[in-house]
Amino acid sequence: MAPPSHCPVDANNGVHHNGGSAVPAETETPLPQGSQHLDAEEFRRQGHQVVDFIADYYASIGDYPVHPNVTPGFLRRQLPAEAPSRPEPGAFAAALRDVRDLVLPGMTHWQSPRHFAHFPASSSTAGALGEALAAGINAVPFTWAASPAATELEMVVVDWLGKALHLPEPLLFCGGGGGTLLGTSCEAILCALVAARERKLAEIGSRRIGDLVVYCSDQTHFAFRKAARIAGIHRDNCREVATRRADAFALSPAELRAAMQRDVDAGLVPLFLCATVGTTQTTAVDPVRELCAAAAPHGVWVHVDAAYAGAAFICPEFRHLADGVGAADSVSTNPHKWLLANNDCCAMWVRRPALLTAALGTEQEYILKAGAAAEGHDVVDYKDWSMALTRRFRALKLWLVLRCHGVEGLRDHVRGHLRMAALLEGMVRADARFEVTAPRQFALVCFRLRSPEKLGGEKTANKLNRRLLEEVNATSSGPYMSSAKVGGMYMLRCAIGSTLTEERHVREAWKVVQDRAASLLRKMEIVYSVLA
């Protein structure tokens, strides 16, 4: 599909890629050496082009297929094999034109109102412009001394967010804990796991690292198993506790307790539990309070991964979900998923920051010291809270989002998606051909098409729904959905959360699903009648 033609690109500037030559272009005034890379006026001129480009992209995003119909290598074949040795005339405008004509048509458009396949990568004007501010200032706040205001703004904003999410005070700076902003929950899990490992090895001796065992459910995101391997946990010491549909796919405290006891009896050492509020496949909610009680006798570190659903804590009606994390050692959630903060932004809080810094801290070199201004103060050096030393000024973006939308505005945003999800769930239940396959707790609806008994029933249900998803996603105008296979059951996932999604997009998506289902069932009826 051809991209929208009104994305702003100077028509006088050419595009240079394989098989083409540069078109005569507007000549840009040469800048004095030394200022040309960061000239204020040039930044202003090109910045206006970018803002106009993005604004027009959002205005016309509905014209793109949500997911592109391309094959591997499609873009590489259209671009040069090597970077230019010198910039072409009008290089910036030409590059924008390539973005419009070559890149955007090959993108999955995560901001499309018809993108329902994944948990959202939410965007907002405040979030995008906060990113721009942070990129323009381009600070490196790895220590307090390196960027005092950036460090202190991060401390302020994680407490703001923690209070908005009704987190227990012991997890916040104001209550003796503290938080930081990372890129993703994958990083948060790894940092917490390393802190737990170092604490446990200090007790039992470093030579027993091979005895350490970590726990999760069969619904836990694969990022946890990856983090465990990076942290040096043997692959066969990662326990995946099976879940059941009868328990809404939540981790059973009794099963966890039994698994830990078996390991203790075998001479192994329980180390870490990753509990989840809002699993990826079905948004199952693990009973955090009960799991913490089961883990406590073994001194197990409990991390709560609330990457997606943690945003719902902002609504008082979900406050009970946050109550259980008071007994956990750490918790993380991604404001970039559902709180308008734009990628990337993960908030992690810990009850005992000293355990984190003991595991991840570095020996202070002279150049990193805080200096006389910090003497007598207990300063935070965020380089000791994560793996990276070079880190981004994410606090500016999140602070801007919280200021511009307010807590109530963010609640309205989340509740709007919850209402649309409830609408879809109701439409699924109203159609006897379909069933809701997992309890809807947030804005994800899991469902499937029932296979009539005469057409194979349960034996063909998975195959039928796999084909249904393929046909739904092949519809040029959308929607774009995904699947999960839980307990042997293949189901469709419709995750509502794009900033631009409206009720009409949900109704249109459901109409596509119904139409494709009717067509599939008719075809199966014909085949059955012929064979019969």
Side-chain angles (χ1 to χ4, degrees):
M1 180 176 182
S5 60
H6 54 277
C7 285
V9 178
D10 190 338
N12 292 322
N13 285 299
V15 183
H16 184 246
H17 48 79
N18 282 353
S21 58
V23 176
E26 169 188 340
T27 302
E28 296 174 1
T29 305
L31 296 168
Q33 187 65 32
S35 65
Q36 60 180 330
H37 303 305
L38 201 56
D39 176 74
E41 290 309 311
E42 189 71 355
F43 181 87
R44 192 186 312 279
R45 188 182 71 82
Q46 294 181 349
H48 281 300
Q49 292 182 42
V50 171
V51 169
D52 285 343
F53 187 100
I54 296 172
D56 277 6
Y57 170 65
Y58 280 126
S60 60
I61 197 169
D63 296 338
Y64 291 94
V66 186
H67 190 63
N69 182 20
V70 295
T71 56
F74 79 98
L75 183 59
R76 294 176 65 192
R77 288 189 292 270
Q78 299 181 79
L79 295 175
E82 298 177 0
S85 58
R86 295 288 182 182
E88 61 195 285
F92 190 80
L96 278 183
R97 185 174 171 183
D98 274 359
V99 173
R100 185 195 68 189
D101 296 343
L102 304 179
V103 176
L104 289 184
M107 293 290 292
T108 295
H109 297 280
W110 282 69
Q111 306 312 316
S112 170
R114 303 189 307 275
H115 189 297
F116 302 111
H118 307 98
F119 290 143
S122 63
S123 290
S124 65
T125 299
L129 295 179
E131 274 287 301
L133 273 173
I137 295 171
N138 204 26
V140 186
F142 64 111
T143 64
W144 181 89
S147 289
T151 295
E152 297 194 13
L153 186 62
E154 187 163 342
M155 296 173 70
V156 168
V157 83
V158 291
D159 266 17
W160 276 15
L161 181 62
K163 291 174 182 177
L165 298 180
H166 303 104
L167 294 184
E169 194 169 275
L171 286 166
L172 310 181
F173 280 111
C174 62
T180 185
L181 297 177
L182 306 170
T184 69
S185 282
C186 308
E187 295 174 56
I189 293 170
L190 178 57
C191 290
L193 182 51
V194 170
R197 182 196 67 192
E198 293 304 291
R199 179 185 67 169
K200 186 65 70 173
L201 291 179
E203 298 172 4
I204 65 174
S206 59
R207 292 184 178 181
R208 295 195 64 190
I209 188 171
D211 294 335
L212 300 179
V213 186
V214 299
Y215 304 84
C216 63
S217 85
D218 58 7
Q219 302 302 303
T220 303
H221 196 278
F222 63 81
F224 173 61
R225 286 171 285 281
K226 182 175 182 178
R229 292 200 301 271
I230 295 171
I233 306 302
H234 288 182
R235 288 174 183 262
D236 54 1
N237 280 7
C238 185
R239 305 283 183 259
E240 289 186 10
V241 181
T243 59
R244 301 180 300 168
R245 190 178 185 187
D247 297 328
F249 304 112
L251 176 56
S252 162
E255 294 288 341
L256 173 69
R257 190 178 292 108
M260 289 183 174
Q261 191 57 53
R262 285 193 296 270
D263 286 326
V264 170
D265 293 342
L268 300 176
V269 182
L271 171 68
F272 190 94
L273 166 65
C274 185
T276 308
V277 175
T279 60
T280 299
Q281 297 203 85
T282 65
T283 64
V285 175
D286 291 339
V288 176
R289 190 189 306 278
E290 293 80 2
L291 292 172
C292 288
H298 304 289
V300 167
W301 182 297
V302 179
H303 177 78
V304 179
D305 176 15
Y308 160 68
F313 295 175
I314 203 167
C315 302
E317 58 268 33
F318 289 100
R319 185 173 184 173
H320 62 286
L321 297 179
D323 289 344
V325 308
D329 295 277
S330 53
V331 60
S332 61
T333 189
N334 293 350
H336 68 233
K337 275 188 164 59
W338 208 3
L339 291 179
L340 302 175
N342 287 54
N343 276 320
D344 56 14
C345 186
C346 167
M348 178 177 73
W349 296 268
V350 291
R351 276 199 295 135
R352 287 168 287 183
L355 294 177
L356 200 64
T357 58
L360 300 171
T362 59
E363 294 296 326
Q364 288 276 15
E365 297 291 340
Y366 180 79
I367 196 172
L368 304 182
K369 289 187 178 294
E375 287 183 6
H377 300 275
D378 187 16
V379 300
V380 168
D381 287 336
Y382 272 122
K383 70 177 179 62
D384 298 333
W385 289 59
S386 66
M387 297 170 289
L389 297 182
T390 300
R391 56 197 311 276
R392 303 176 62 226
F393 189 7
R394 296 183 181 94
L396 188 59
K397 169 179 58 180
L398 185 54
W399 178 72
L400 198 61
V401 167
L402 288 167
R403 287 195 60 175
C404 293
H405 293 276
V407 175
E408 287 297 333
L410 295 176
R411 283 178 185 153
D412 291 343
H413 176 71
V414 169
R415 285 171 174 159
H417 291 133
L418 292 169
R419 285 192 294 270
M420 286 186 272
L423 169 68
L424 176 60
E425 180 187 32
M427 291 190 292
V428 173
R429 293 189 184 280
D431 190 327
R433 299 172 298 173
F434 292 85
E435 67 172 323
V436 174
T437 52
R440 183 192 64 80
Q441 308 207 59
F442 305 102
L444 173 72
V445 180
C446 296
F447 64 96
R448 70 170 180 165
L449 176 63
R450 303 177 196 268
S451 181
E453 282 302 320
K454 68 176 182 178
L455 301 180
E458 286 298 320
K459 292 182 179 179
T460 63
N462 284 356
K463 183 178 179 180
L464 174 63
N465 280 280
R466 187 176 288 108
R467 181 60 184 160
L468 174 60
L469 180 63
E470 290 173 356
E471 296 211 3
V472 167
N473 286 346
T475 307
S476 62
S477 60
Y480 179 43
M481 297 185 184
S482 61
S483 65
K485 192 172 183 181
V486 183
M489 180 188 300
Y490 186 96
M491 59 188 77
L492 278 69
R493 298 173 70 259
C494 183
I496 299 170
S498 169
T499 308
L500 297 172
T501 299
E502 300 173 1
E503 183 179 311
R504 63 185 176 90
H505 299 114
V506 176
R507 292 187 181 275
E508 290 166 1
W510 177 238
K511 180 66 165 53
V512 170
V513 172
Q514 288 182 306
D515 289 348
R516 300 321 303 158
S519 175
L520 274 176
L521 291 174
R522 282 195 300 269
K523 291 175 183 176
M524 291 182 68
E525 289 275 6
I526 292 172
V527 172
Y528 174 80
S529 63
V530 170
L531 293 176

Coordinates of all heavy atoms in Angstrom, one line a residue, residues 35-104:
S35 N 30.5 24.3 14.7 CA 29.1 24.5 15.1 C 28.1 23.8 14.2 O 26.9 23.8 14.6 CB 28.8 26.0 15.1 OG 28.9 26.5 13.7
Q36 N 28.6 23.2 13.1 CA 27.6 22.6 12.2 C 26.9 21.4 12.7 O 25.8 21.1 12.3 CB 28.4 22.2 10.9 CG 29.5 21.2 11.1 CD 30.2 20.9 9.8 OE1 29.6 20.9 8.8 NE2 31.4 20.5 9.9
H37 N 27.4 20.7 13.7 CA 26.8 19.5 14.2 C 25.7 19.8 15.2 O 24.9 18.9 15.5 CB 27.8 18.6 14.8 CG 28.9 18.2 13.9 ND1 28.7 17.7 12.6 CD2 30.3 18.3 13.9 CE1 29.8 17.5 12.0 NE2 30.8 17.9 12.8
L38 N 25.7 21.0 15.8 CA 24.7 21.3 16.8 C 24.4 22.8 16.7 O 24.5 23.5 17.7 CB 25.2 20.9 18.2 CG 24.1 20.7 19.3 CD1 23.0 19.7 18.8 CD2 24.7 20.3 20.6
D39 N 23.9 23.2 15.6 CA 23.6 24.7 15.4 C 22.2 24.9 15.7 O 21.2 24.2 15.3 CB 23.8 25.0 13.9 CG 23.4 26.4 13.6 OD1 24.1 27.4 14.0 OD2 22.3 26.6 13.0
A40 N 21.9 25.9 16.5 CA 20.6 26.2 17.1 C 19.6 26.5 16.0 O 18.4 25.9 16.0 CB 20.6 27.4 18.0
E41 N 19.9 27.3 15.0 CA 19.0 27.6 13.9 C 18.7 26.4 13.0 O 17.6 26.2 12.6 CB 19.5 28.8 13.1 CG 19.4 30.1 13.9 CD 18.1 30.3 14.5 OE1 17.0 30.2 13.8 OE2 18.0 30.6 15.7
E42 N 19.8 25.6 12.7 CA 19.6 24.4 11.9 C 18.7 23.4 12.7 O 17.8 22.8 12.1 CB 20.9 23.8 11.5 CG 20.8 22.7 10.5 CD 20.5 23.2 9.1 OE1 20.2 24.4 8.9 OE2 20.5 22.3 8.2
F43 N 18.9 23.3 13.9 CA 18.1 22.4 14.8 C 16.6 22.9 14.7 O 15.7 22.1 14.6 CB 18.6 22.4 16.2 CG 17.8 21.5 17.1 CD1 18.1 20.2 17.2 CD2 16.7 22.0 17.9 CE1 17.4 19.3 18.1 CE2 16.0 21.2 18.7 CZ 16.3 19.8 18.8
R44 N 16.4 24.2 14.8 CA 15.1 24.7 14.8 C 14.4 24.4 13.4 O 13.2 24.0 13.4 CB 15.1 26.3 15.0 CG 13.7 26.9 15.3 CD 13.9 28.4 15.3 NE 15.0 28.9 16.1 CZ 14.9 29.0 17.4 NH1 13.8 28.6 18.1 NH2 16.0 29.4 18.1
R45 N 15.1 24.6 12.3 CA 14.5 24.4 11.0 C 14.2 22.9 10.8 O 13.1 22.5 10.4 CB 15.5 24.9 9.9 CG 14.9 24.9 8.5 CD 15.9 25.3 7.5 NE 17.0 24.3 7.3 CZ 16.9 23.3 6.5 NH1 15.7 23.0 5.9 NH2 17.9 22.4 6.4
Q46 N 15.2 22.0 11.1 CA 14.9 20.6 10.9 C 14.0 20.0 11.9 O 13.2 19.1 11.6 CB 16.3 19.9 10.9 CG 17.2 20.2 9.7 CD 18.5 19.5 9.7 OE1 18.8 18.8 10.7 NE2 19.2 19.6 8.6
G47 N 14.0 20.6 13.1 CA 13.1 20.2 14.1 C 11.6 20.4 13.7 O 10.8 19.6 14.0
H48 N 11.3 21.5 13.1 CA 10.0 21.8 12.6 C 9.6 20.7 11.6 O 8.4 20.3 11.5 CB 9.9 23.2 12.0 CG 9.8 24.3 13.0 ND1 8.7 24.4 13.9 CD2 10.6 25.4 13.3 CE1 8.9 25.4 14.7 NE2 10.0 26.1 14.3
Q49 N 10.5 20.4 10.7 CA 10.2 19.3 9.7 C 9.8 18.0 10.4 O 8.9 17.3 10.0 CB 11.4 19.1 8.8 CG 11.8 20.3 7.9 CD 13.0 19.9 7.0 OE1 13.0 18.8 6.4 NE2 13.9 20.9 6.8
V50 N 10.6 17.6 11.4 CA 10.3 16.4 12.1 C 9.0 16.4 12.8 O 8.2 15.5 12.7 CB 11.5 16.1 13.1 CG1 11.1 14.9 14.0 CG2 12.7 15.8 12.3
V51 N 8.7 17.5 13.5 CA 7.4 17.6 14.2 C 6.3 17.6 13.2 O 5.3 16.9 13.4 CB 7.4 18.9 15.0 CG1 6.0 19.2 15.5 CG2 8.3 18.8 16.2
D52 N 6.4 18.3 12.1 CA 5.3 18.2 11.1 C 5.2 16.8 10.5 O 4.1 16.3 10.3 CB 5.6 19.2 9.9 CG 5.4 20.6 10.3 OD1 4.7 20.8 11.3 OD2 5.9 21.5 9.6
F53 N 6.3 16.1 10.3 CA 6.3 14.8 9.8 C 5.5 13.8 10.7 O 4.7 13.1 10.3 CB 7.7 14.3 9.6 CG 7.8 13.0 8.9 CD1 8.1 12.9 7.5 CD2 7.7 11.8 9.6 CE1 8.3 11.7 6.9 CE2 7.8 10.5 9.0 CZ 8.1 10.5 7.6
I54 N 5.9 13.9 12.0 CA 5.3 13.0 13.0 C 3.8 13.3 13.2 O 2.9 12.4 13.2 CB 6.0 13.1 14.4 CG1 7.4 12.6 14.2 CG2 5.3 12.3 15.4 CD1 8.3 12.8 15.4
A55 N 3.5 14.6 13.2 CA 2.0 15.0 13.3 C 1.2 14.5 12.2 O 0.1 13.9 12.3 CB 1.9 16.5 13.4
D56 N 1.7 14.6 10.9 CA 1.0 14.1 9.8 C 1.0 12.5 9.8 O 0.0 11.9 9.3 CB 1.7 14.6 8.5 CG 1.2 15.9 8.1 OD1 0.5 16.5 8.9 OD2 1.6 16.4 7.0
Y57 N 2.0 11.9 10.3 CA 2.0 10.4 10.5 C 0.8 10.0 11.4 O 0.1 9.1 11.0 CB 3.3 10.0 11.0 CG 3.3 8.5 11.4 CD1 3.2 7.5 10.5 CD2 3.5 8.1 12.8 CE1 3.2 6.2 10.9 CE2 3.5 6.8 13.2 CZ 3.4 5.8 12.2 OH 3.4 4.5 12.6
Y58 N 0.7 10.7 12.5 CA -0.4 10.3 13.4 C -1.8 10.6 12.7 O -2.7 9.9 12.9 CB -0.3 11.0 14.7 CG 0.7 10.3 15.6 CD1 1.8 11.0 16.2 CD2 0.6 8.9 15.9 CE1 2.7 10.3 17.1 CE2 1.5 8.3 16.7 CZ 2.5 9.0 17.3 OH 3.4 8.4 18.1
A59 N -1.8 11.7 12.0 CA -3.1 12.1 11.4 C -3.5 11.0 10.3 O -4.7 10.9 10.0 CB -3.0 13.5 10.8
S60 N -2.5 10.4 9.7 CA -2.8 9.5 8.6 C -2.5 8.0 8.9 O -2.5 7.2 8.0 CB -2.0 9.9 7.4 OG -0.6 9.8 7.6
I61 N -2.3 7.7 10.2 CA -1.8 6.4 10.5 C -2.9 5.3 10.2 O -2.5 4.1 9.9 CB -1.5 6.3 12.1 CG1 -0.6 5.0 12.3 CG2 -2.7 6.3 12.9 CD1 0.0 5.0 13.7
G62 N -4.1 5.7 10.2 CA -5.2 4.8 9.8 C -5.1 4.3 8.3 O -5.8 3.3 8.0
D63 N -4.4 5.0 7.5 CA -4.2 4.7 6.1 C -3.2 3.5 5.9 O -3.2 2.9 4.8 CB -3.8 5.9 5.3 CG -4.8 7.0 5.3 OD1 -6.0 6.7 5.6 OD2 -4.4 8.2 5.1
Y64 N -2.4 3.2 6.9 CA -1.5 2.1 6.7 C -2.1 0.8 7.2 O -2.8 0.8 8.2 CB -0.2 2.4 7.6 CG 0.6 3.5 7.2 CD1 0.5 4.8 7.7 CD2 1.7 3.3 6.2 CE1 1.3 5.8 7.3 CE2 2.5 4.3 5.9 CZ 2.3 5.6 6.4 OH 3.1 6.6 6.0
P65 N -1.7 -0.3 6.6 CA -2.0 -1.6 7.2 C -1.3 -1.7 8.5 O -0.2 -1.2 8.6 CB -1.5 -2.6 6.2 CG -1.3 -1.9 4.9 CD -1.0 -0.5 5.3
V66 N -1.9 -2.3 9.6 CA -1.3 -2.3 10.9 C 0.0 -3.1 10.8 O 1.1 -2.7 11.3 CB -2.2 -2.9 11.9 CG1 -1.6 -2.8 13.3 CG2 -3.5 -2.3 11.9
H67 N 0.0 -4.2 10.1 CA 1.1 -5.1 9.9 C 1.5 -5.2 8.5 O 0.6 -5.5 7.6 CB 0.8 -6.5 10.5 CG 2.0 -7.4 10.7 ND1 3.1 -7.1 11.5 CD2 2.3 -8.6 10.1 CE1 4.0 -8.1 11.4 NE2 3.5 -9.0 10.6
P68 N 2.7 -5.0 8.1 CA 3.1 -4.9 6.6 C 3.1 -6.3 6.0 O 3.5 -7.3 6.6 CB 4.4 -4.3 6.6 CG 5.1 -4.7 7.9 CD 3.9 -4.7 8.9
N69 N 2.8 -6.3 4.7 CA 3.0 -7.6 3.9 C 4.3 -7.5 3.2 O 4.3 -7.1 2.0 CB 1.8 -7.7 3.0 CG 1.8 -9.0 2.2 OD1 2.5 -9.9 2.6 ND2 1.2 -9.0 1.0
V70 N 5.4 -7.8 3.9 CA 6.7 -7.8 3.3 C 7.4 -9.1 3.6 O 7.0 -9.9 4.5 CB 7.5 -6.6 3.9 CG1 6.9 -5.2 3.5 CG2 7.6 -6.7 5.4
T71 N 8.5 -9.3 2.9 CA 9.4 -10.4 3.1 C 10.8 -10.0 3.5 O 11.2 -8.9 3.3 CB 9.5 -11.3 1.8 OG1 10.0 -10.4 0.8 CG2 8.1 -11.8 1.4
P72 N 11.5 -10.9 4.2 CA 12.8 -10.5 4.7 C 13.7 -10.0 3.5 O 13.7 -10.6 2.5 CB 13.4 -11.8 5.3 CG 12.1 -12.5 5.7 CD 11.1 -12.2 4.7
G73 N 14.4 -8.9 3.8 CA 15.3 -8.3 2.8 C 14.7 -7.2 2.0 O 15.4 -6.6 1.2
F74 N 13.4 -7.0 2.2 CA 12.7 -6.0 1.4 C 13.3 -4.6 1.4 O 13.4 -3.9 0.4 CB 11.2 -5.9 1.8 CG 11.0 -5.1 3.0 CD1 10.6 -3.8 2.9 CD2 11.1 -5.6 4.3 CE1 10.3 -3.0 4.0 CE2 10.9 -4.9 5.4 CZ 10.5 -3.5 5.3
L75 N 13.8 -4.2 2.6 CA 14.3 -2.8 2.8 C 15.8 -2.8 2.4 O 16.3 -1.9 1.8 CB 14.2 -2.3 4.2 CG 14.6 -0.9 4.5 CD1 13.9 0.1 3.6 CD2 14.4 -0.6 6.0
R76 N 16.5 -3.9 2.8 CA 18.0 -3.9 2.4 C 18.2 -3.8 0.9 O 19.2 -3.3 0.5 CB 18.6 -5.2 3.0 CG 18.5 -5.3 4.5 CD 19.1 -6.6 5.0 NE 20.5 -6.8 4.7 CZ 21.1 -8.0 4.8 NH1 20.4 -9.0 5.2 NH2 22.4 -8.1 4.5
R77 N 17.3 -4.4 0.2 CA 17.4 -4.3 -1.3 C 17.2 -2.9 -1.9 O 17.6 -2.6 -3.0 CB 16.4 -5.3 -2.0 CG 16.8 -6.8 -1.8 CD 15.9 -7.7 -2.6 NE 14.5 -7.7 -2.2 CZ 14.0 -8.5 -1.3 NH1 14.8 -9.4 -0.8 NH2 12.8 -8.5 -1.0
Q78 N 16.6 -2.0 -1.1 CA 16.3 -0.7 -1.6 C 17.3 0.4 -1.1 O 17.2 1.5 -1.5 CB 14.9 -0.3 -1.2 CG 13.8 -1.2 -1.7 CD 12.4 -0.7 -1.3 OE1 11.9 0.2 -1.8 NE2 11.9 -1.4 -0.2
L79 N 18.2 0.0 -0.2 CA 19.1 0.9 0.4 C 20.6 0.6 0.0 O 20.9 -0.6 -0.3 CB 19.0 0.9 1.9 CG 17.7 1.4 2.5 CD1 17.6 1.3 4.0 CD2 17.4 2.9 2.1
P80 N 21.4 1.6 -0.1 CA 22.8 1.3 -0.4 C 23.5 0.3 0.5 O 23.1 0.3 1.7 CB 23.5 2.7 -0.4 CG 22.3 3.7 -0.5 CD 21.2 3.0 0.2
A81 N 24.5 -0.4 0.0 CA 25.2 -1.3 0.9 C 26.2 -0.6 1.8 O 26.6 -1.2 2.8 CB 26.0 -2.3 0.0
E82 N 26.5 0.7 1.5 CA 27.5 1.4 2.4 C 26.9 2.8 2.6 O 26.1 3.4 1.8 CB 28.8 1.5 1.7 CG 29.5 0.2 1.4 CD 30.8 0.4 0.7 OE1 31.2 1.5 0.4 OE2 31.5 -0.7 0.4
A83 N 27.4 3.4 3.8 CA 27.0 4.7 4.1 C 27.6 5.7 3.1 O 28.7 5.5 2.6 CB 27.4 5.1 5.5
P84 N 27.0 6.9 2.9 CA 27.6 7.9 2.0 C 28.9 8.4 2.6 O 29.0 8.6 3.8 CB 26.6 9.0 1.9 CG 25.7 8.8 3.1 CD 25.7 7.3 3.4
S85 N 29.9 8.7 1.8 CA 31.2 9.2 2.3 C 31.0 10.7 2.6 O 31.6 11.2 3.5 CB 32.3 9.0 1.3 OG 31.9 9.7 0.0
R86 N 30.1 11.4 1.9 CA 29.8 12.8 2.1 C 28.3 12.9 2.0 O 27.6 12.2 1.3 CB 30.4 13.7 1.1 CG 31.9 13.7 1.1 CD 32.5 14.5 2.3 NE 33.9 14.6 2.3 CZ 34.6 15.1 3.2 NH1 34.0 15.7 4.2 NH2 35.9 15.2 3.2
P87 N 27.7 13.8 2.8 CA 26.3 14.0 2.7 C 25.8 14.5 1.4 O 26.5 15.4 0.8 CB 26.0 15.0 3.8 CG 27.3 15.8 4.0 CD 28.3 14.8 3.8
E88 N 24.7 14.0 0.9 CA 24.2 14.5 -0.4 C 23.5 15.8 -0.1 O 23.2 16.2 1.0 CB 23.1 13.5 -0.9 CG 21.9 13.3 0.1 CD 21.1 12.1 -0.2 OE1 20.3 12.2 -1.2 OE2 21.2 11.1 0.5
P89 N 23.3 16.6 -1.2 CA 22.6 17.9 -1.0 C 21.2 17.7 -0.4 O 20.5 16.8 -0.8 CB 22.5 18.5 -2.4 CG 23.6 17.8 -3.1 CD 23.7 16.4 -2.5
G90 N 20.8 18.4 0.6 CA 19.5 18.3 1.2 C 19.4 16.9 1.9 O 18.3 16.3 1.8
A91 N 20.4 16.5 2.5 CA 20.4 15.1 3.1 C 19.3 14.8 4.1 O 18.7 13.8 4.1 CB 21.8 14.8 3.7
F92 N 19.0 15.8 4.9 CA 18.1 15.6 6.0 C 16.7 15.4 5.4 O 15.9 14.4 5.7 CB 18.1 16.7 7.0 CG 17.2 16.4 8.2 CD1 17.8 15.6 9.3 CD2 16.0 16.9 8.4 CE1 17.0 15.3 10.4 CE2 15.2 16.6 9.5 CZ 15.7 15.8 10.5
A93 N 16.3 16.3 4.5 CA 15.0 16.2 3.9 C 14.9 14.9 3.0 O 13.8 14.2 3.0 CB 14.7 17.4 3.0
A94 N 16.0 14.5 2.4 CA 16.0 13.3 1.6 C 15.8 12.1 2.5 O 15.1 11.1 2.1 CB 17.3 13.2 0.8
A95 N 16.4 12.1 3.6 CA 16.3 11.0 4.5 C 14.9 10.9 5.1 O 14.3 9.8 5.2 CB 17.3 11.1 5.7
L96 N 14.2 12.0 5.3 CA 12.8 12.0 5.8 C 12.0 11.4 4.7 O 11.0 10.7 5.0 CB 12.4 13.4 6.1 CG 12.7 13.9 7.5 CD1 12.1 15.3 7.7 CD2 12.2 13.0 8.6
R97 N 12.3 11.7 3.5 CA 11.5 11.2 2.4 C 11.6 9.6 2.3 O 10.7 8.9 2.0 CB 11.9 11.8 1.1 CG 11.0 11.4 -0.1 CD 11.4 12.2 -1.4 NE 10.7 11.6 -2.5 CZ 10.9 12.1 -3.8 NH1 11.7 13.1 -4.0 NH2 10.3 11.6 -4.8
D98 N 12.8 9.2 2.5 CA 13.0 7.7 2.6 C 12.3 7.1 3.7 O 11.8 6.0 3.6 CB 14.5 7.4 2.7 CG 15.2 7.3 1.3 OD1 14.5 7.5 0.3 OD2 16.4 7.1 1.3
V99 N 12.2 7.8 4.9 CA 11.4 7.2 6.0 C 10.0 7.1 5.5 O 9.3 6.1 5.8 CB 11.5 8.2 7.2 CG1 10.6 7.7 8.3 CG2 13.0 8.2 7.7
R100 N 9.5 8.1 4.9 CA 8.1 8.1 4.4 C 7.8 7.0 3.4 O 6.9 6.2 3.5 CB 7.7 9.5 3.8 CG 6.2 9.6 3.4 CD 6.0 10.8 2.5 NE 6.7 10.6 1.2 CZ 6.8 11.6 0.3 NH1 6.3 12.8 0.6 NH2 7.4 11.3 -0.8
D101 N 8.7 6.9 2.4 CA 8.5 6.1 1.2 C 8.9 4.7 1.4 O 8.4 3.7 0.8 CB 9.1 6.7 0.0 CG 8.5 8.0 -0.4 OD1 7.4 8.3 0.1 OD2 9.2 8.8 -1.2
L102 N 10.0 4.5 2.2 CA 10.6 3.1 2.3 C 10.4 2.5 3.7 O 10.1 1.3 3.8 CB 12.1 3.2 2.0 CG 12.5 3.8 0.7 CD1 14.0 3.8 0.5 CD2 11.8 3.0 -0.5
V103 N 10.5 3.3 4.7 CA 10.5 2.7 6.1 C 9.1 2.5 6.6 O 8.7 1.4 7.0 CB 11.4 3.6 7.0 CG1 11.3 3.0 8.5 CG2 12.8 3.6 6.6
L104 N 8.3 3.5 6.6 CA 7.0 3.4 7.2 C 6.1 2.3 6.5 O 5.4 1.6 7.3 CB 6.2 4.8 7.1 CG 6.8 5.9 8.0 CD1 5.9 7.1 7.9 CD2 6.8 5.4 9.5

